[in-house]
């Protein structure tokens, strides 16, 4: 068995845009677009089919069956197609008796279903929480599937999705999960993005190597569109999508794209393939960030600082207010006192240029819902 | 925060069960205080009709919160 998820997983999931309206041709075209749009080169590797892929009944032997109308050539064919592109293939099931859309869940079928997925060549399993029987703790159900996956004969990344319920962050690592949904479902809406981020402050320490805090799939590039009315809710501006991506990156969340990757705008591609921001997310030490609030606007202007493996800092400054606001980052808050004789050289990860060398503090004005993201290097002054 | 399943935390309008379910779906499954449909629409800066249509959508698609 290989070690998976050394850094937060990166990929694409069908749910945000397509919901239940998925099929073989769609997924193949998405895989093609993955390579053509530079997503594979940027580090994205998982193509994940969400709910609604199976028939509503198991077969006579109790096995899951893929819907032959949606996937006529079967899942092994699709897995092979995706693997031939150098990508990895993900699927979906649920800890409860049924999936959220009413298809068979894996409750009491964990080992059997893990074997099925392994046989198809699945590399990633998203495991939801709908229809969970009340009498069994979720911890037990995730331990069941975690054990099943770790003994199915194939490396399958385990993506737990219990929406942050039952203080999941306290027990999920021990189940074998590589990522865990820590929040309710995201909507393509700035208030939803903001709500999710603010709910995670104080829990950053629970995210780390091999088991990451999953803040839900990205809505970057959706612009309010999509077949799935469960997620499309007005859309966001590019400024907001840039902040959304930066937040997910610096907070160590897996980066699972949710828009229609066959028809992304140039701006969306630019956001999702920003190699400087992705590098902060994919830093090999995978340390979680800490939060520093703007002293005179603590609820609305916040910085996240992430120590990086080479001694640098990932620094993201975010303005959650409706007006342009100042962020003043005091370097003593990140361990650089004035007496040390050291400062920070800041590289702007969105402008892709050096911002300059600074001593004791860095001050900037951030537009509403906007961000500034830097890689900071400690220098002698 | 004290739980309140009876009235909107913003405008005190009495709540119906679909509104509680909507909060749990759109904001957080762990909500113990809730917004009415009008206040939800204002929160998301969306039209009221969009929020109402979500109830129908989730129920028709079998979402367990709306059963």
């Amino acid at each position: 068995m290989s070690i998976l998820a050394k850094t937060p997983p990166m990929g694409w999931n069908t749910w945000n845009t397509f919901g239940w309206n998925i099929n073989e041709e769609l997924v193949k075209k998405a895989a093609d677009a993955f390579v053509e749009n530079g997503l594979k080169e940027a580090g994205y590797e998982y193509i994940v089919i969400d709910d609604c892929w199976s028939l509503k009944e198991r077969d006579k032997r109790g096995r899951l069956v893929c819907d032959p109308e949606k996937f006529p050539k079967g899942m092994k064919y699709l897995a092979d197609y995706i693997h031939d592109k150098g990508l990895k293939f993900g699927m979906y099931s649920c800890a409860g008796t049924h999936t959220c859309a009413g298809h068979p869940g894996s409750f009491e079928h964990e080992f059997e279903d893990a074997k099925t997925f392994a046989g198809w060549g699945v590399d990633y399993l998203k495991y939801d929480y709908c229809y969970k029987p009340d009498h069994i703790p979720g911890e037990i159900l995730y331990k069941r599937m975690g054990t099943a996956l770790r003994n199915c004969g194939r490396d399958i990344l385990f993506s737990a999705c219990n929406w942050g319920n039952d203080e999941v962050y306290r027990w999920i690592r021990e189940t074998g999960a590589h990522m865990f949904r820590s929040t309710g479902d995201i909507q393509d809406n700035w208030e939803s993005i903001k709500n999710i981020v603010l709910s995670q402050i104080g829990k950053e320490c629970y995210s780390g190597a091999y088991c990451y805090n999953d803040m839900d799939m990205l809505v970057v590039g959706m612009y309010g569109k999509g077949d799935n009315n469960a997620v499309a809710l007005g859309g966001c501006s590019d400024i907001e999508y840039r902040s959304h991506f930066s937040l997910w990156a610096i907070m160590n969340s897996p980066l699972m794209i949710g828009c229609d990757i066959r028809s992304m705008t140039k701006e969306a591609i630019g956001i999702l393939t920003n190699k400087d921001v992705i590098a902060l997310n994919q830093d090999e030490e995978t340390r979680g960030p800490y939060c520093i609030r703007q002293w005179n606007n603590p609820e609305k202007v916040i910085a996240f600082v992430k120590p990086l493996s080479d001694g640098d800092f990932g620094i993201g400054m975010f303005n959650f207010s409706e007006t342009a606001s100042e962020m003043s980052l005091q370097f003593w808050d990140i361990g650089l006192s004035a007496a040390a004789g050291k400062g920070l050289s800041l590289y702007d990860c969105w402008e892709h240029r050096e911002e300059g060398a600074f001593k004791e503090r860095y001050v900037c004005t951030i537009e509403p819902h906007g961000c500034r993201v830097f890689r900071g290097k400690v220098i002698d002054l | 925060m004290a739980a309140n399943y009876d009235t909107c935390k913003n405008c005190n309008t009495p709540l119906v069960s679909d509104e509680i379910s909507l909060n749990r779906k759109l904001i957080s499954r762990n909500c113990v205080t809730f917004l009415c449909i009008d206040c939800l629409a204002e929160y998301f800066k969306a039209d009221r009709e969009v929020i109402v249509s979500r109830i129908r959508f989730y129920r028709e698609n079998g979402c367990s919160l709306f059963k």
Side-chain angles (χ1 to χ4, degrees), chain A residues 131 185 187 189 191 229 232, chain B residues 25 30 43-44 54 62 67:
Chain A
Y131 295 101
D185 293 345
Q187 309 293 312
N189 181 288
E191 292 303 318
N229 284 333
Chain B
K25 187 69 176 171
N30 299 319
Y43 176 81
F44 284 111
R54 288 295 185 97
K67 291 234 177 266

Side-chain angles (χ1 to χ4, degrees), chain A residues 108-151:
Chain A
E108 300 288 336
H109 292 272
E110 291 87 359
F111 277 82
E112 182 183 329
D113 290 352
K115 186 177 162 191
T116 296
F117 294 131
W120 286 342
V122 170
D123 305 296
Y124 172 120
L125 180 69
K126 176 176 170 180
Y127 205 52
D128 219 328
Y129 209 48
C130 287
Y131 295 101
K132 177 193 90 63
D134 283 339
H135 67 287
I136 294 187
E139 181 180 347
I140 296 296
L141 298 182
Y142 280 97
K143 280 179 174 168
R144 282 188 190 176
M145 184 50 89
T147 301
L149 289 174
R150 290 161 76 80
N151 291 281

Side-chain angles (χ1 to χ4, degrees), chain A residues 45-242:
Chain A
E45 58 179 338
Y46 291 97
I47 302 267
V48 181
I49 298 175
D50 209 280
D51 202 351
C52 308
W53 59 267
S54 75
L55 290 178
K56 290 238 175 162
E57 299 287 337
R58 290 175 178 267
D59 69 11
K60 289 187 180 125
R61 290 170 57 182
R63 295 175 302 185
L64 291 169
V65 182
C66 80
D67 186 333
E69 286 188 19
K70 292 181 178 180
F71 300 96
K73 296 196 179 93
M75 286 304 174
K76 178 81 173 60
Y77 164 82
L78 196 51
D80 288 344
Y81 186 94
I82 288 170
H83 291 151
D84 284 348
K85 293 197 171 289
L87 298 170
K88 294 183 177 169
F89 177 51
M91 291 192 71
Y92 165 103
S93 187
C94 187
T97 57
H98 294 78
T99 71
C100 298
H103 295 256
S106 290
F107 179 70
E108 300 288 336
H109 292 272
E110 291 87 359
F111 277 82
E112 182 183 329
D113 290 352
K115 186 177 162 191
T116 296
F117 294 131
W120 286 342
V122 170
D123 305 296
Y124 172 120
L125 180 69
K126 176 176 170 180
Y127 205 52
D128 219 328
Y129 209 48
C130 287
Y131 295 101
K132 177 193 90 63
D134 283 339
H135 67 287
I136 294 187
E139 181 180 347
I140 296 296
L141 298 182
Y142 280 97
K143 280 179 174 168
R144 282 188 190 176
M145 184 50 89
T147 301
L149 289 174
R150 290 161 76 80
N151 291 281
C152 71
R154 185 177 176 83
D155 292 332
I156 299 181
L157 188 144
F158 186 21
S159 167
C161 181
N162 89 329
W163 326 306
N165 280 15
D166 306 330
E167 295 190 311
V168 61
Y169 47 89
R170 293 193 191 280
W171 47 260
I172 192 66
R173 184 173 285 273
E174 287 74 26
T175 69
H178 298 94
M179 50 195 270
F180 63 99
R181 271 282 301 284
S182 48
T183 72
D185 293 345
I186 194 169
Q187 309 293 312
D188 184 14
N189 181 288
W190 173 249
E191 292 303 318
S192 174
I193 291 165
K194 185 177 84 175
N195 190 43
I196 284 174
V197 170
L198 296 180
S199 77
Q200 296 310 296
I201 293 176
K203 299 193 184 92
E204 303 89 329
C205 57
Y206 292 103
S207 180
Y210 316 115
C211 189
Y212 303 96
N213 174 359
D214 177 7
M215 290 160 65
D216 210 351
M217 298 166 279
L218 296 163
V219 293
V220 175
M222 288 185 66
Y223 301 107
K225 296 180 204 151
D227 292 345
N228 190 357
N229 284 333
V231 178
L233 192 59
C236 300
S237 66
D238 285 327
I239 289 172
E240 289 164 342
Y241 285 141
R242 183 182 276 204

